């Protein structure tokens, strides 16, 4: 943003606190105008300095003066645009005005930020001589000391502004031979001293408080780390002489349990490495890496070792960017050192070490070493591979899962160089994978897959043979390798597929044939699966083969052709493989010059790729003949892959014909392609003639065929013609258009008509096709206009795409075609098919753009127009006028479609239309909100939503007087979701224009909706703020809840008292049921919502036991009443006694054991108790009653005071009352309604 744009923003303030600044700015500009000075940055600068030098400001204190605040704010804006020489001369004067702000304790944060901005620009402008002055003088060093103190201020915005200022000053050093800024040492010393003091204070406070919460509340230390980060992010970075001390301190900080401190320390390392990635600061990197190596922690330090490994990994990444070759030669030593950490007992250390090794392999192995290695490079790779092989020993067995990740990346880094270096790794991993008891099979599969990609299947199968045809004793079969080969084979020798897998497929297929027609056994099914898996490898072998010219010969082509004919289940893999053969080589030819390294790694050059395509073109003609025949024999739902393969073969036929013109072969191929087209078209015309004379009942019978029956021959041949079309010469296009003109009028062939419409968009994708469309534009216009009446519903989308193709190639002199098809495009916006609607909208937009390009419209050439109609100029305004003509349509459907079309094109072109046109259009369509037709109003509501969202405020706001009542008039209509749409539109209006602006135009009956929207919005806002407050209170409660109580959750769970338990017993069950227990109750929840389940007999929970976690829950445990077995009560004769009566000689304890119902009252178990129970069962509240029709009714009401947890009875009772009244109102009629009302 320029200075003038910033000042313009101040001149038109939107906030109250900006008005004072605007007043000061206007006064300064008025002064400059009176004194005939230009409003330049220097002029503003001098005027503002004069304003700050007024006598009354220093007496009253700059820190509290509003005028000084506005003046400093403006000075901060303009001082960066003032020449540096002027700032150097005014250094003392400016510092005199700003110093009181920096030293005042009452200075506000905005005033300090403006002052810091002024000092930043002032110090950036100083030269080397000024920085040599001591800190005791009025010098830049003294000002820098003040900024360093503000960089640790408690106010976040002040602190951030000071840190940014320090960074900018250090990034703009004066012209000196030194690498660092003259004040960088002072900044580093101050920051290190502050950081050391903060660490000491933190350590002392932690020992005194002995509270883990204290460690999470160290803002001062984090602020100092942010200052260190700001200094390190400067262009010179941290001073070289201070790197060792900083690394030592940061490594100590990173071992803290506070994740924020660890993150801050890592961010500083990251900033330092980023600063050293350029050649200017790269000289500091060796010293930093040496310092980090000396700080290597203990082998088992699980706190400090992971961060140290991460920093080392990042250091070597940066080093590889600066010196790739030198870093690569250091790789074996560091690889050995980090690999030893994989034997650690700590899982965190093992994971960090594996990630570091992966980083080494990804970042420190240059592509040039793989492509053209020297002798030293080969020895280095050998050392790394030897170390990687050692990781699979028993010593590192605990880390094998991490080791497998490293081995997989190793194969990716070595590429094909892994063949002599990492063969032992493949053998070891393969043996582990074959073991039944091995649990890491998924990780082993990843390693073997990467080995197949890098070394090739031939090398891997040489070490791990399949053993499927001739299995040897003691050699297991490895059929599990086939899926791995399928997913990972690429860029290898195609001859290996012919020598290894074609015989395997033939052997397995012979076993299937030998089985005969008998029922398939499991063994035969396995043979079939192996055949399918074998040919599933062909697409991988076809991906950039290294020996395509030698391996793909006439014999192999005949084999593929025979399989395409004889085995339909193998067709997808064979077609995909042939397609991959072509497209992978075409991709090499399309590689840019910037991606030459990819060519080196793929080992296929552009010249060899071109040779491969030329070789394949020799077989393309015969393969196309086979594919055409196979296509006609395949059901439509399985034809897609065949058509794609045909397209790929046609592309190389065309390519060969266009690139190699000196031979006779290309001409024969081109002629062969033309002859193929002629044969297909002749067969199509013959089949079409037979279809036209076919009796009508037979046609109807053919339409009702199932999906397993072949389609008509005309459909199949039309698909082939469409596929061939873009590869044909221009001379054949006349025959194509003639063929299309014969098909489009056929109303009895909707599917064939749909395919014919697909031809024009297909032609537009080729250069010859686009040229033909332009040359035959008039004929195509007549053809499409004449076939409009015969277009079937299934072909409507493709017809719209054809119309769009013609419009796209329309010359400016033939724009009369647009109004001729406009009504069809407008009506199509109401199609039920979504794709057809999208095509209609795209066509409208395309026509609008074409009209916007200009040209002439001869209205006399439009169908049904007068021959004397004048010629008009094409423009967007004229296009909107044409579409608006549909608003006077005779049917509501046409009017609704016109409104929908206008909505779409207005959204697209509203920025290009004059304001008067938009206003007239909005005023016109607003009238349709009063229509009685819902279809019209639905479209009009969509138009209203679009203009509210997209049009400028100054256009829509004057129209609210008509829009708001019109929209709210449908707020009570529930059909077609009108109410929801109206509410959404009103919400968008309120969001954009404010509730007062909308409410003033609301009718009385619509204000309720507006008030509902306002209240809903306020309620959401209130709930959001309450939720935020509750969250903050919970966070504070977790930090402060233990003051004066127990020191940890462990002690609170064990020793917390139950003093308040008795006081809670008086509360009812209804009060206690929906609430969680308080912190003083048994089974109390801890501060973070964790519950401890009570143990039987009030036994305390041993948190150190192995099953302690089973008694800790994140949700409130439900207390169930334990069912205890009781001893049966008998009398003296040994007979069972029921009831509560005690006979003589029985102990009281025995009587109590049979009291299974604690709610029994006095008298129960006696005759009186039995009578009372009988009466209660007959007439009590739980008694069974007979309702209407003699049906039995049971009461499910629960009594209060029981042991069971009560549901909210009052709520249940109220719901039953409401349900009863509703049922009565539904059943009541006439006088019955009054009767029910009187009873209730």
């Amino acid at each position: 943003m320029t200075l003038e744009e910033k000042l313009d923003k101040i001149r038109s303030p939107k906030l109250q606190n900006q008005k004072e600044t605007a007043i000061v700015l206007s006064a300064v500009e008025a002064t400059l105008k009176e004194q005939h000075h230009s409003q330049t940055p220097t002029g503003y600068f001098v005027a503002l300095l004069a304003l700050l030098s007024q006598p009354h400001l220093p007496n009253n204190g700059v820190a509290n003066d509003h005028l000084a605040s506005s003046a400093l704010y403006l000075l901060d804006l303009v001082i960066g645009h003032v020449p540096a020489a002027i700032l150097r001369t005014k250094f003392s004067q400016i510092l005199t005005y700003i110093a009181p702000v920096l030293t005042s304790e009452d200075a506000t944060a905005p005033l300090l930020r403006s002052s810091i901005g002024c000092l930043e620009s002032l110090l950036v402008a100083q030269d080397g001589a000024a920085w040599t002055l001591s800190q005791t003088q009025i010098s830049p060093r003294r000002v820098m000391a003040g900024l360093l103190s503000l960089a640790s201020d408690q106010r976040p915005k002040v602190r951030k502004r000071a840190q940014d200022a320090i960074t900018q000053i250090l990034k703009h050093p004066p012209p000196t031979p030194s690498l660092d800024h003259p004040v960088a040492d002072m900044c580093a010393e101050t920051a290190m001293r502050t950081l050391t003091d903060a660490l000491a204070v933190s350590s002392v406070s932690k020992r005194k408080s002995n509270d883990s919460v204290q460690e999470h509340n160290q803002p001062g230390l984090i602020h100092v780390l942010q200052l260190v980060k700001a200094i390190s992010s400067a262009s010179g970075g941290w001073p070289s002489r201070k790197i060792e001390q900083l690394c030592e301190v940061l490594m100590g900080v990173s071992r803290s349990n506070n994740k924020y401190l660890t993150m801050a320390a890592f961010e500083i390392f990251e900033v330092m490495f980023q600063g050293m990635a350029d050649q200017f600061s790269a000289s500091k990197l060796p010293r930093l890496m040496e310092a980090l190596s000396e700080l290597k922690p203990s082998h088992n330090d699980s706190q400090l070792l992971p961060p140290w490994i991460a920093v080392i990994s990042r250091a070597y990444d940066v080093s590889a960017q600066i010196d790739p070759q030198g870093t690569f030669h250091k790789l074996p030593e560091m690889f050995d050192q980090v690999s030893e950490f994989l034997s650690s007992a700590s899982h965190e250390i093992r994971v960090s070490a594996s990630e570091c090794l992966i980083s080494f392999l990804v970042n420190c192995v240059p592509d040039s070493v793989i492509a053209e290695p020297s002798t030293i490079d080969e020895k280095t790779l050998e050392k790394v591979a030897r170390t990687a092989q050692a990781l699979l020993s028993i010593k590192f067995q605990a880390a094998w899962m991490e080791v497998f990740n490293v081995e997989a990346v190793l194969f990716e880094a070595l590429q094909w160089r892994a063949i002599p270096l990492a063969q032992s790794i493949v053998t070891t991993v393969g043996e582990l994978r074959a073991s039944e008891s091995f649990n890491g099979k998924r990780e082993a599969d990843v390693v073997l897959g990467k080995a197949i990609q890098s070394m090739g299947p031939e090398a891997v199968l040489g070490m791990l043979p399949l053993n499927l045809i001739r299995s040897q004793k003691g050699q297991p079969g490895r059929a599990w390798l086939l899926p791995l080969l399928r997913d990972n084979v690429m860029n290898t020798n195609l001859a290996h597929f012919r020598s290894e897998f074609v015989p395997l497929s033939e052997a397995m297929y012979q076993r299937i044939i030998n089985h005969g027609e008998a029922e398939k056994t499991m063994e035969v099914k396995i043979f079939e699966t192996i055949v399918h898996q074998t040919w599933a490898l062909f697409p991988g072998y076809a991906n950039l083969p290294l020996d395509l010219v030698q391996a793909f010969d006439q014999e192999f082509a005949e084999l593929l052709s025979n399989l395409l004919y004889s085995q339909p289940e193998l067709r997808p893999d064979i077609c995909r493989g042939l397609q991959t053969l072509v497209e992978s080589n075409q991709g090499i030819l399309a590689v840019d010059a910037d991606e030459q390294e990819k060519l080196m790694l793929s080992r296929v050059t552009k010249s060899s790729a071109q040779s491969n395509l030329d070789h394949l073109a020799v077989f393309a003609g015969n393969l196309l003949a086979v594919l055409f025949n196979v296509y006609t024999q395949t059901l439509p739902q399985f034809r897609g892959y065949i058509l794609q393969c045909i397209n790929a073969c046609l592309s190389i036929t065309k390519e060969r014909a266009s690139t190699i013109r000196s031979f006779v072969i290309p001409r024969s191929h081109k002629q062969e392609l033309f002859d193929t087209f002629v044969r297909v078209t002749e067969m199509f015309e013959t089949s079409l003639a037979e279809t036209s004379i076919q009796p009508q009942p037979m046609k109807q019978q053919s339409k009702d065929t199932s999906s397993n029956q072949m389609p008509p021959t005309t459909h199949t041949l039309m698909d082939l013609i469409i596929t061939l079309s873009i590869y044909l010469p221009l001379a054949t296009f006349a025959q194509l258009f003639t063929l299309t003109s014969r098909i489009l009028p056929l109303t009895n062939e909707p599917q064939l008509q749909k395919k014919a419409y697909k031809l024009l968009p297909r032609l537009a994708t080729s250069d010859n096709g686009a040229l033909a469309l332009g040359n035959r534009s008039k004929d195509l216009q007549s053809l499409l206009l004449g076939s409009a009446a015969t277009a079937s519903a299934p072909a409507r989308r493709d017809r719209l795409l054809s119309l769009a193709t013609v419009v796209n190639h329309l010359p400016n002199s033939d724009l009369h075609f647009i109004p001729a098809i406009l009504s069809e495009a407008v009506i199509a916006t109401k199609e039920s098919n979504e794709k057809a609607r999208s095509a209609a909208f795209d066509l409208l937009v395309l026509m609008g753009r074409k009209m916007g390009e200009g040209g002439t419209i001869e209205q006399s050439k439009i169908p049904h127009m007068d021959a004397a109609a004048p010629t008009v100029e094409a423009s967007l305004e004229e296009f909107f006028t044409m579409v608006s003509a549909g608003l006077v349509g005779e049917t509501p459907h046409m009017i609704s479609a016109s409104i929908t079309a206008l909505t779409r094109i207005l959204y697209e072109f509203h920025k290009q239309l004059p304001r008067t046109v938009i206003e007239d259009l909005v005023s016109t369509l607003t009238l349709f909100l009063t229509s009685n037709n819902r279809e019209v109003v639905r479209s009009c509501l969509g138009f209203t939503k679009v203009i509210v969202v997209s049009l400028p405020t100054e256009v829509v706001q004057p129209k609210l007087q008509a829009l708001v009542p019109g929209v709210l008039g449908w707020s009570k209509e529930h059909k077609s979701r009108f109410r929801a749409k109206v509410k959404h539109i009103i919400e968008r209006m309120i969001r954009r224009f404010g509730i007062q602006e909308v409410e003033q135009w609301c009718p009385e009956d619509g204000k309720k909706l507006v008030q509902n929207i306002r209240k809903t919005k306020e309620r959401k806002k209130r709930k959001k703020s309450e939720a935020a407050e509750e969250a903050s209170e919970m966070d504070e409660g977790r930090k402060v809840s233990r003051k004066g109580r127990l020191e940890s959750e462990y002690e609170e769970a064990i020793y917390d008292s139950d003093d308040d338990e008795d006081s809670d017993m008086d509360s009812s069950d209804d009060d206690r049921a929906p609430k969680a227990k308080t912190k003083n109750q048994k089974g109390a929840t801890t501060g973070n919502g964790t519950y401890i389940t009570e143990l039987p007999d009030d036994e305390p929970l041993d948190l150190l036991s192995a099953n302690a976690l089973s008694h800790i829950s994140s949700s409130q445990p439900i207390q169930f009443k334990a069912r205890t077995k009781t001893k049966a009560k008998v009398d003296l004769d040994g007979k069972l006694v029921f009831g509560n009566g005690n006979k003589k000689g029985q102990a009281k304890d025995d009587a109590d054991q049979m009291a299974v119902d604690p709610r029994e009252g006095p008298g129960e178990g006696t005759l009186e108790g039995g009578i009372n129970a009988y009466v209660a069962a007959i007439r009590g509240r739980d008694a069974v009653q007979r309702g209407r029709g003699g049906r039995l009714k049971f009461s499910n009401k629960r009594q209060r005071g029981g042991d069971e947890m009560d549901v909210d009875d009052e709520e249940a009772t109220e719901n039953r009352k409401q349900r009863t009244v509703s049922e009565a109102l539904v059943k009541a009629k006439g006088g019955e309604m009054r009767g029910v009302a009187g009873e209730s």
Side-chain angles (χ1 to χ4, degrees), residues 489-513:
V489 169
M490 60 178 298
N491 196 208
T492 186
N493 294 320
L494 183 61
H496 180 255
F497 178 80
R498 295 187 60 183
S499 62
E500 178 75 18
F501 291 103
V502 171
L504 174 63
S505 173
E506 293 175 350
M508 294 298 167
Y509 190 69
Q510 186 62 43
R511 294 181 183 181
I512 297 173
I513 295 176

Short mmCIF file of all heavy atoms in Angstrom, two decimals, residues 489-513:
data_model
loop_
_atom_site.label_atom_id
_atom_site.label_comp_id
_atom_site.label_asym_id
_atom_site.label_seq_id
_atom_site.Cartn_x
_atom_site.Cartn_y
_atom_site.Cartn_z
N VAL A 489 5.94 -52.65 -10.28
CA VAL A 489 6.78 -52.83 -11.47
C VAL A 489 6.64 -51.61 -12.37
O VAL A 489 5.53 -51.15 -12.67
CB VAL A 489 6.39 -54.11 -12.22
CG1 VAL A 489 7.07 -54.15 -13.58
CG2 VAL A 489 6.79 -55.33 -11.42
N MET A 490 7.76 -51.08 -12.83
CA MET A 490 7.79 -49.98 -13.79
C MET A 490 9.23 -49.77 -14.25
O MET A 490 10.18 -50.12 -13.55
CB MET A 490 7.25 -48.68 -13.16
CG MET A 490 8.03 -48.18 -11.97
SD MET A 490 7.43 -46.64 -11.31
CE MET A 490 7.69 -45.57 -12.69
N ASN A 491 9.37 -49.22 -15.46
CA ASN A 491 10.67 -48.82 -15.99
C ASN A 491 11.68 -49.97 -15.93
O ASN A 491 12.77 -49.84 -15.39
CB ASN A 491 11.18 -47.60 -15.21
CG ASN A 491 12.30 -46.87 -15.90
OD1 ASN A 491 13.13 -46.25 -15.26
ND2 ASN A 491 12.39 -46.95 -17.21
N THR A 492 11.26 -51.10 -16.46
CA THR A 492 12.13 -52.27 -16.43
C THR A 492 12.14 -52.93 -17.82
O THR A 492 11.68 -52.32 -18.80
CB THR A 492 11.65 -53.26 -15.36
OG1 THR A 492 12.57 -54.33 -15.25
CG2 THR A 492 10.27 -53.78 -15.66
N ASN A 493 12.64 -54.14 -17.90
CA ASN A 493 12.76 -54.83 -19.18
C ASN A 493 11.50 -55.62 -19.48
O ASN A 493 11.06 -56.47 -18.68
CB ASN A 493 13.96 -55.78 -19.15
CG ASN A 493 15.28 -55.04 -19.03
OD1 ASN A 493 15.48 -54.00 -19.65
ND2 ASN A 493 16.18 -55.56 -18.21
N LEU A 494 10.93 -55.35 -20.64
CA LEU A 494 9.74 -56.07 -21.07
C LEU A 494 10.06 -57.52 -21.41
O LEU A 494 9.20 -58.40 -21.29
CB LEU A 494 9.11 -55.37 -22.27
CG LEU A 494 7.81 -55.94 -22.81
CD1 LEU A 494 6.72 -55.90 -21.75
CD2 LEU A 494 7.36 -55.16 -24.05
N ALA A 495 11.30 -57.79 -21.80
CA ALA A 495 11.69 -59.16 -22.12
C ALA A 495 11.59 -60.08 -20.92
O ALA A 495 11.34 -61.29 -21.07
CB ALA A 495 13.13 -59.18 -22.67
N HIS A 496 11.77 -59.53 -19.71
CA HIS A 496 11.63 -60.37 -18.52
C HIS A 496 10.20 -60.85 -18.36
O HIS A 496 9.96 -61.99 -17.91
CB HIS A 496 12.07 -59.58 -17.29
CG HIS A 496 11.96 -60.36 -16.01
ND1 HIS A 496 10.96 -60.13 -15.09
CD2 HIS A 496 12.71 -61.38 -15.51
CE1 HIS A 496 11.10 -60.96 -14.08
NE2 HIS A 496 12.16 -61.72 -14.31
N PHE A 497 9.24 -60.03 -18.71
CA PHE A 497 7.84 -60.46 -18.64
C PHE A 497 7.60 -61.61 -19.62
O PHE A 497 6.91 -62.59 -19.29
CB PHE A 497 6.92 -59.29 -18.97
CG PHE A 497 5.47 -59.65 -18.98
CD1 PHE A 497 4.75 -59.76 -17.80
CD2 PHE A 497 4.80 -59.89 -20.18
CE1 PHE A 497 3.40 -60.10 -17.81
CE2 PHE A 497 3.46 -60.23 -20.20
CZ PHE A 497 2.76 -60.33 -19.00
N ARG A 498 8.18 -61.53 -20.80
CA ARG A 498 7.98 -62.60 -21.79
C ARG A 498 8.66 -63.89 -21.37
O ARG A 498 8.12 -64.98 -21.57
CB ARG A 498 8.52 -62.15 -23.15
CG ARG A 498 7.77 -60.98 -23.76
CD ARG A 498 8.27 -60.72 -25.17
NE ARG A 498 8.07 -61.88 -26.03
CZ ARG A 498 8.46 -61.95 -27.30
NH1 ARG A 498 9.08 -60.91 -27.85
NH2 ARG A 498 8.26 -63.03 -28.01
N SER A 499 9.83 -63.77 -20.75
CA SER A 499 10.57 -64.98 -20.39
C SER A 499 10.12 -65.59 -19.07
O SER A 499 10.24 -66.80 -18.87
CB SER A 499 12.07 -64.67 -20.32
OG SER A 499 12.32 -63.70 -19.31
N GLU A 500 9.59 -64.80 -18.16
CA GLU A 500 9.25 -65.29 -16.82
C GLU A 500 7.76 -65.54 -16.66
O GLU A 500 7.34 -66.59 -16.16
CB GLU A 500 9.72 -64.27 -15.79
CG GLU A 500 9.40 -64.64 -14.35
CD GLU A 500 10.29 -65.73 -13.80
OE1 GLU A 500 11.36 -65.98 -14.41
OE2 GLU A 500 9.91 -66.37 -12.79
N PHE A 501 6.92 -64.59 -17.08
CA PHE A 501 5.51 -64.65 -16.72
C PHE A 501 4.63 -65.19 -17.84
O PHE A 501 3.57 -65.75 -17.56
CB PHE A 501 5.02 -63.26 -16.29
CG PHE A 501 5.61 -62.82 -14.99
CD1 PHE A 501 6.65 -61.90 -14.96
CD2 PHE A 501 5.17 -63.34 -13.80
CE1 PHE A 501 7.21 -61.50 -13.78
CE2 PHE A 501 5.73 -62.95 -12.59
CZ PHE A 501 6.75 -62.02 -12.58
N VAL A 502 5.02 -65.01 -19.09
CA VAL A 502 4.22 -65.63 -20.16
C VAL A 502 4.26 -67.15 -20.05
O VAL A 502 3.22 -67.82 -20.14
CB VAL A 502 4.70 -65.12 -21.53
CG1 VAL A 502 4.03 -65.92 -22.66
CG2 VAL A 502 4.40 -63.64 -21.69
N PRO A 503 5.43 -67.77 -19.85
CA PRO A 503 5.41 -69.24 -19.62
C PRO A 503 4.63 -69.64 -18.38
O PRO A 503 3.97 -70.69 -18.37
CB PRO A 503 6.90 -69.58 -19.47
CG PRO A 503 7.62 -68.50 -20.19
CD PRO A 503 6.82 -67.26 -19.97
N LEU A 504 4.71 -68.83 -17.33
CA LEU A 504 3.93 -69.14 -16.12
C LEU A 504 2.44 -69.13 -16.42
O LEU A 504 1.69 -70.02 -16.00
CB LEU A 504 4.27 -68.13 -15.02
CG LEU A 504 3.44 -68.21 -13.73
CD1 LEU A 504 3.65 -69.56 -13.04
CD2 LEU A 504 3.80 -67.07 -12.79
N SER A 505 2.00 -68.12 -17.16
CA SER A 505 0.58 -68.05 -17.52
C SER A 505 0.18 -69.22 -18.39
O SER A 505 -0.90 -69.82 -18.20
CB SER A 505 0.33 -66.73 -18.25
OG SER A 505 -0.98 -66.68 -18.75
N GLU A 506 1.03 -69.60 -19.36
CA GLU A 506 0.70 -70.73 -20.23
C GLU A 506 0.63 -72.03 -19.46
O GLU A 506 -0.26 -72.88 -19.69
CB GLU A 506 1.74 -70.83 -21.35
CG GLU A 506 1.69 -69.66 -22.33
CD GLU A 506 2.82 -69.72 -23.34
OE1 GLU A 506 3.72 -70.56 -23.13
OE2 GLU A 506 2.81 -68.94 -24.31
N ALA A 507 1.54 -72.22 -18.50
CA ALA A 507 1.52 -73.45 -17.71
C ALA A 507 0.26 -73.55 -16.85
O ALA A 507 -0.37 -74.61 -16.76
CB ALA A 507 2.79 -73.51 -16.84
N MET A 508 -0.11 -72.45 -16.22
CA MET A 508 -1.30 -72.47 -15.38
C MET A 508 -2.56 -72.62 -16.22
O MET A 508 -3.50 -73.32 -15.83
CB MET A 508 -1.37 -71.18 -14.56
CG MET A 508 -0.25 -71.04 -13.55
SD MET A 508 -0.30 -72.39 -12.33
CE MET A 508 1.31 -72.21 -11.55
N TYR A 509 -2.57 -71.99 -17.38
CA TYR A 509 -3.75 -72.11 -18.25
C TYR A 509 -3.88 -73.52 -18.80
O TYR A 509 -5.00 -74.03 -18.97
CB TYR A 509 -3.65 -71.09 -19.38
CG TYR A 509 -4.91 -70.96 -20.19
CD1 TYR A 509 -6.06 -70.39 -19.65
CD2 TYR A 509 -4.98 -71.44 -21.50
CE1 TYR A 509 -7.23 -70.28 -20.38
CE2 TYR A 509 -6.14 -71.34 -22.24
CZ TYR A 509 -7.27 -70.76 -21.68
OH TYR A 509 -8.43 -70.65 -22.40
N GLN A 510 -2.74 -74.19 -19.04
CA GLN A 510 -2.79 -75.57 -19.50
C GLN A 510 -3.37 -76.49 -18.43
O GLN A 510 -4.11 -77.44 -18.73
CB GLN A 510 -1.38 -76.03 -19.90
CG GLN A 510 -1.33 -77.40 -20.54
CD GLN A 510 -2.13 -77.46 -21.83
OE1 GLN A 510 -2.07 -76.55 -22.65
NE2 GLN A 510 -2.90 -78.53 -22.01
N ARG A 511 -3.05 -76.24 -17.20
CA ARG A 511 -3.63 -77.03 -16.11
C ARG A 511 -5.13 -76.83 -16.03
O ARG A 511 -5.88 -77.77 -15.70
CB ARG A 511 -2.96 -76.66 -14.79
CG ARG A 511 -1.48 -77.03 -14.73
CD ARG A 511 -0.87 -76.66 -13.40
NE ARG A 511 0.58 -76.94 -13.37
CZ ARG A 511 1.36 -76.73 -12.31
NH1 ARG A 511 0.83 -76.24 -11.18
NH2 ARG A 511 2.65 -77.01 -12.38
N ILE A 512 -5.58 -75.61 -16.31
CA ILE A 512 -7.03 -75.35 -16.31
C ILE A 512 -7.69 -76.12 -17.44
O ILE A 512 -8.77 -76.72 -17.28
CB ILE A 512 -7.29 -73.84 -16.43
CG1 ILE A 512 -6.71 -73.09 -15.23
CG2 ILE A 512 -8.77 -73.55 -16.56
CD1 ILE A 512 -6.78 -71.59 -15.34
N ILE A 513 -7.05 -76.13 -18.61
CA ILE A 513 -7.61 -76.86 -19.76
C ILE A 513 -7.63 -78.36 -19.49
O ILE A 513 -8.60 -79.07 -19.83
CB ILE A 513 -6.80 -76.54 -21.03
CG1 ILE A 513 -6.97 -75.06 -21.39
CG2 ILE A 513 -7.22 -77.42 -22.19
CD1 ILE A 513 -6.13 -74.63 -22.58
#
